[in-house]
Amino acid sequence: MSGRLRELRQQQGWTQAELGQRLGVSRQAVNALESGKHDPSLDLAFRIAALFDQAVEAVFENPHRR
């Protein structure tokens, strides 16, 4: 699941560690999400979207959608 997480984080001027702190996850978890190594849980995807005041669909692309 690719997305705009890195772009949104950088627009805020936050490091991966700062974003992780705001979300209650590690910097490594943020890195894994940004690099596409791991997909967020549904709960985490909603928390990320809310943090950036975006819809989940605006942050993450669904690879199964046609």
Side-chain angles (χ1 to χ4, degrees), residues 46-59:
F46 277 106
R47 286 190 287 140
I48 290 168
L51 180 64
F52 292 107
D53 195 28
Q54 301 279 320
V56 172
E57 297 85 1
V59 180

Side-chain angles (χ1 to χ4, degrees), residues 17-37:
E18 289 170 328
L19 177 57
Q21 201 169 40
R22 291 170 188 274
L23 295 169
V25 300
S26 68
R27 180 203 60 80
Q28 292 87 347
V30 172
N31 182 271
L33 292 169
E34 287 185 353
S35 65
K37 291 180 183 175

